[in-house]
Amino acid sequence: MPLRHEIAHLSHVELFTPVPEETLAFCRGFLGLTETGRSGDSVFLRAWDDYERTTLKLTARDTAGVGRTNLRAASDAALHRRVAEIEATGRGVGWRDGDPGYGPVYVFHDPDGHELGVYHETEWYRPPPELAPALRNQAQALPGHGIPVRRLDHVNYLGVDVERNRDYLRDVLGALVTEQIVLDDGSVAGSWTTFTNKGYDAVYTRDRTGTAGRLHHLAFAADGRPDILRAADLALDQGIFIETGPHKHAIQQTFFLYVYEPGGNRIELCHAGARLVLAPDWSPVDWTEAERRKGQAWGLQTIESFHTHGTPPVEPTAVSATTPGPTVQR
Amino acid sequence: MPLRHEIAHLSHVELFTPVPEETLAFCRGFLGLTETGRSGDSVFLRAWDDYERTTLKLTARDTAGVGRTNLRAASDAALHRRVAEIEATGRGVGWRDGDPGYGPVYVFHDPDGHELGVYHETEWYRPPPELAPALRNQAQALPGHGIPVRRLDHVNYLGVDVERNRDYLRDVLGALVTEQIVLDDGSVAGSWTTFTNKGYDAVYTRDRTGTAGRLHHLAFAADGRPDILRAADLALDQGIFIETGPHKHAIQQTFFLYVYEPGGNRIELCHAGARLVLAPDWSPVDWTEAERRKGQAWGLQTIESFHTHGTPPVEPTAVSATTPGPTVQR
Amino acid sequence: MPLRHEIAHLSHVELFTPVPEETLAFCRGFLGLTETGRSGDSVFLRAWDDYERTTLKLTARDTAGVGRTNLRAASDAALHRRVAEIEATGRGVGWRDGDPGYGPVYVFHDPDGHELGVYHETEWYRPPPELAPALRNQAQALPGHGIPVRRLDHVNYLGVDVERNRDYLRDVLGALVTEQIVLDDGSVAGSWTTFTNKGYDAVYTRDRTGTAGRLHHLAFAADGRPDILRAADLALDQGIFIETGPHKHAIQQTFFLYVYEPGGNRIELCHAGARLVLAPDWSPVDWTEAERRKGQAWGLQTIESFHTHGTPPVEPTAVSATTPGPTVQR
Amino acid sequence: MPLRHEIAHLSHVELFTPVPEETLAFCRGFLGLTETGRSGDSVFLRAWDDYERTTLKLTARDTAGVGRTNLRAASDAALHRRVAEIEATGRGVGWRDGDPGYGPVYVFHDPDGHELGVYHETEWYRPPPELAPALRNQAQALPGHGIPVRRLDHVNYLGVDVERNRDYLRDVLGALVTEQIVLDDGSVAGSWTTFTNKGYDAVYTRDRTGTAGRLHHLAFAADGRPDILRAADLALDQGIFIETGPHKHAIQQTFFLYVYEPGGNRIELCHAGARLVLAPDWSPVDWTEAERRKGQAWGLQTIESFHTHGTPPVEPTAVSATTPGPTVQR
């Protein structure tokens, strides 16, 4: 049974924030997301062209960080095959009710402890009249405010052991490894994997603090490079912290902008141009330490906080104790 | 005395609308203008990077159309020189109080009867704290909704006699004629004139209905071609009528989108790239009928309504009676 | 066995031209393709980010038209499964040597008679030093001339019977049908199908002349909307015929420009923004005649030649005799 | 007599290079300039939309640096008024033959010793048939290679005493001072001045080495932000050194990319969006040291070499001896 494409795509992700009102305002006013409902401490939000009901589940919590990442299986049969394999790894938690608009989800953890869920049944989003699009092949009318982002793009996890997490996604979920940072000592400091024809859907980069289960960033797809430049202009005048960019990554060649939402989570706005990974037998592109020292595609040096900031935040003292290794730019 | 540059630039324009609430919603939600005040039947609105207080004065009126177009003289001395020349033409009306934020304005009419005003004294816009920009060389924070347009760009009048109006702007106000449509019979069907280094600030195109004082369109500058493409996407989902575009004009090579605001006035969103008219002795570029038949820059045929729709609207029967001449695409 | 993803993607396509030198100049100077070799009457060309050796095989022939379309199977096993199913349909021709850089290809025909080939073995492109890219995740240095197009995007065939061809791609090759034009009489006038997460890879639209095996257009992906606008500017000054665009399709929402290469084949430059079809159970979006009469996304009426021009050309008399049906805009 | 607009615009600039063949290849292949002639050690090149014959005069010389900057007077009368005032300052050199295609030029020096020339008579560029544009309001067909830049934009001189140079341009040539860097000690470390409605045409920034007559950079206008992003991609694959960018300046808000041409001169590609300085009484925007420490518009720190690299190069020891002052980011 070919593993590839058993997971169809990354679905909605849960984000924790200690300042839910401010983060919600950021999501609506800057990202241009639309609220679709609330439940308990959570607000459900969607990007205008995601076909399912939810793109982001925003949950109030003491500290920032990432909650469950949902993955949609390609079919009911694929779902049950994946669940069987997950259970065999001993990392399964069990079936849970899905979020509103979603069928049952099987919850499990990656080796680093990030919570994941896999499901198949879903409800196609039907907009209310005031959000109806003019064209029938579009999920929702284009919002007139914010960027607005088109869809979720990828999640970048911090991981204590990148290789173990990468192998889990590849061997159990069928992800294709597309690019990697391979240090001079042979260890892998970053791994980009995909379930689709996009260059990447899920990424692990080494957590130098040695803390498990953290988030490096969550990324949304903008519809073009110009939207990302405009996002930077909007961020400037809306008082949103720009960490780095707009610029172009060497890895995956993504055009990017990194900001922090008010709760502290790093958010990327990204655009891949017309780049796709179409080769079914793509071999990972391995980047060396020397290559990473050249910085981003056009020579911008990787910002220092890119190696230190993650959510939840950890004490900086932890960093020095656990990262004697080389400094490599992601 | 060199006339050129005595008029520094086109300033705010008054637009009439029979549906003030709908037009206001269009100006705010689609154009991204900011309301700065109200007076009587008028609402004052501004584009985010105009340095003066007002970009557009929106006035409730039975029919759509254009009110006063204000021109800023380069200095007080220039103002009085221009007023003296205007008075000598017999087209002067007299001094009036300016709109809020503006000094006295001398009101007059072009040969076609459109109301114009010239003034020098003005108040530099100072935004309230919530609209303060991050950079001190910007008039106002970038709005997070709508296109948003950066500044007023030009006004395109319909005129019964293009040449007389053109000559008035050139000889009395110091405009430079940059491009023209010259019919096979030698008459001028359209004339583009500028006070600045932009390709054009004021345009006259022949009114085939023979009706004086009408508006062809009012244009706002978007900050780039991508903003105009996004404007088309927004128009589609906001139910705004797109007349033609996005495309690129052959004349002046402006990238454009034409929509009708709810009151019926034609509004252009335009972008000129890096094109400027820097030559002080620029000779008018004359386009022939044969050239205009080729359509716009990339071959798009000029839409028929471009020759018939103006504000205020006139009875269509009037058209056939007064335009036996050749059909030329603008 | 799930059919979907057995075919990994569309690979290189063969185009016929009666004016090989002129078409080659167009491919190099306008499209920005790079020549990689010649064989007999054929020249092999590649887009800068295709990972395989060839994007386009240009072959001298009496008339314009499309030759073999190559499809890459996801694996050797998938290849043989597909070949077995093709043979069972009676449309197989047999194994042939692949073009230089490609392994054996199994040749067959779609119901309309277009030649197709399926293969798995391929040679990854390795650029000569003067074409080496700066980044190791890129196939070739970005050409400094022409648009340049990033990769092949899709092929749009004219077909006498759209449904039969659509069914063949769907049932035998595993394509997903994403959008369709369904006439008021229930017949399908156009069908967009995909093997990937792109909205479409292979399209059939009804040939109103009733002639089998013709080409509507071949499309290349530009890296963004701005590249397509620049393509229009380049076409204008290079004397390349622009048929329609730049504009945005309602179907698939692709930003497009259509030109004719000197040999007469219609070529599309396209960009999809960040739009992808990620849903594994996507239901075809069916467009009605009434919807198609609205024209393209922003209201541009579909150009008449879009319904009549195909390659090889056929006598116009044939058209009237065989298309009594309704006129629908694609 | 109002000084403003007596100088119509910046015209062609002479650049010195110790590696003329390499610099020429850069100008043609990367900038997309067209060679129009040669004379002695000089090659004349033009950007596609400059209306005069020459944009850049490239002259072989031992070291990199800037030669004469030519300014076009608005009229013959304006020319002679300016010459009379220049002579009165004692900085005049005298009348010389203009470069091919230009009338007599009056040569002089700014207080820093940079060579300038003012003239009025000029030949409008008439392209040969193979470079003829499709539209009659365009100087030359759009080149199909390189960026290509549309026109010269500005020249940024290093100056020992910024204020003296600024005053000379303002008081003798009629430039308008639009923005400045004013240090905490009250001195001016940078001054942006304009002859047109562009934000700036001529800039002086303090030369920390205390060396007179050097060049900080020469800038060409790209037609949009996307062209500058593509320029960065081209630079990367053409092995052209990118110093910093693409990014957006805080000062003047220009979108920029800085590269070094092979001879060592810094070249900027820039785009201003729709930003213009239309106010005839614009007051200089003064930036403080604290504001400059924030870096560029989106937070990018100004690169160190921006403060040290100029042409001709000077010994770095000279720098430390002459720049005890504060470090301010331009």
Side-chain angles (χ1 to χ4, degrees), chain C residues 15-18 20 41-42 58-62:
Chain C
L15 206 61
F16 301 131
T17 172
D41 286 338
S42 297
L58 195 64
T59 299
R61 185 69 61 100
D62 282 352

Side-chain angles (χ1 to χ4, degrees), chain B residues 27-106:
Chain B
C27 289
R28 298 175 67 166
F30 178 67
L31 296 181
L33 299 179
T34 302
E35 181 180 333
T36 56
R38 299 195 177 201
S39 172
D41 286 339
S42 298
V43 180
F44 299 98
L45 295 151
R46 51 174 283 105
W48 62 272
D49 204 29
D50 269 333
Y51 74 92
E52 295 180 281
R53 189 155 147 184
T54 296
T55 301
L56 183 70
K57 179 181 183 178
L58 195 63
T59 299
R61 185 70 62 101
D62 283 352
T63 61
V66 63
R68 185 190 302 160
T69 298
N70 297 279
L71 303 169
R72 188 167 183 222
S75 64
D76 214 56
L79 171 62
H80 288 94
R81 283 191 295 264
R82 284 319 99 210
V83 169
E85 295 216 26
I86 292 165
E87 287 184 329
T89 68
R91 300 196 181 282
V93 172
W95 290 96
R96 296 287 182 271
D97 285 341
D99 285 319
Y102 295 84
V105 56
Y106 185 83

